[in-house]
Amino acid sequence: ALPIWSYTRPVPPSEPSPPGPAPAGLYARLRGMQRDEAVALFWELVRFGWVGVFTVCVYAGEMWILRHHTSLPAWACAIIATLPCLLLNYTLHRSFTFKSDKHHGQAGPRYLAIQLSGMAFNSSALWLTVERLRWPFLPAQVVVIVLLAGGSYIGQKLWSFD
């Protein structure tokens, strides 16, 4: 597989090829963008952020309800609260953020793979920064969240919902 920075979207046979040579990678695609494409990308990023913030609010609400109205441990509450958020987040990103018509049988497993990879990265990065390097938790989590958001956006845009 090619690294993400060298990705170029294949042109389906039904679409005419764009004039001129295809951009070499993601950076070249960004540099060669027209103004209307840049504006569309900006609003896509805004929608991505709003979906993320909305999903975090739903998660926080679920966690509050579960922690205050059940005797379940925090880890069990987190698992229970995460599952509906994954479905909500997938649905909103597919239909609202990326306006994708990719079949659920293809987009769903890819989305789930990105989310599970993100969970593994989050756990590993927090173990490294907090446990091994002795960073304070909050700054470490903020750095990890920023990296996760960027990786999630790129993975969803170029793999799950393209």
Side-chain angles (χ1 to χ4, degrees):
L2 294 172
I4 195 77
W5 53 85
S6 67
Y7 174 83
T8 55
R9 183 178 73 87
V11 178
S14 61
E15 270 186 46
S17 296
L26 185 61
Y27 178 72
R29 285 178 67 188
L30 292 173
R31 283 194 54 201
M33 265 187 187
Q34 300 297 323
R35 182 170 170 19
D36 57 336
E37 293 173 315
V39 169
L41 176 63
F42 170 78
W43 287 112
E44 184 177 85
L45 287 166
V46 168
R47 289 190 305 270
F48 182 83
W50 278 111
V51 168
V53 168
F54 178 69
T55 305
V56 165
C57 291
V58 170
Y59 175 82
E62 290 173 337
M63 284 296 288
W64 186 88
I65 290 167
L66 289 167
R67 292 294 289 153
H68 287 87
H69 297 288
T70 70
S71 59
L72 295 171
W75 64 267
C77 292
I79 291 172
I80 293 168
T82 297
L83 296 176
C85 288
L86 284 174
L87 182 59
L88 173 68
N89 197 272
Y90 168 79
T91 303
L92 290 175
H93 279 318
R94 183 177 180 272
S95 62
F96 176 67
T97 303
F98 299 105
K99 298 177 170 73
S100 176
D101 59 356
K102 187 170 270 193
H103 190 272
H104 292 295
Q106 188 175 20
R110 289 178 175 192
Y111 170 83
L112 189 57
I114 290 168
Q115 296 306 314
L116 293 175
S117 298
M119 291 169 71
F121 175 77
N122 183 55
S123 298
S124 301
L126 288 177
W127 172 81
L128 176 66
T129 56
V130 176
E131 300 297 325
R132 305 300 293 169
L133 300 177
R134 303 286 183 217
W135 289 16
F137 171 75
L138 191 56
Q141 183 67 83
V142 168
V143 168
V144 171
I145 286 173
V146 168
L147 293 173
L148 280 173
S152 178
Y153 174 80
I154 291 169
Q156 290 180 43
K157 178 164 183 68
L158 300 180
W159 192 47
S160 294
F161 302 119
D162 72 337

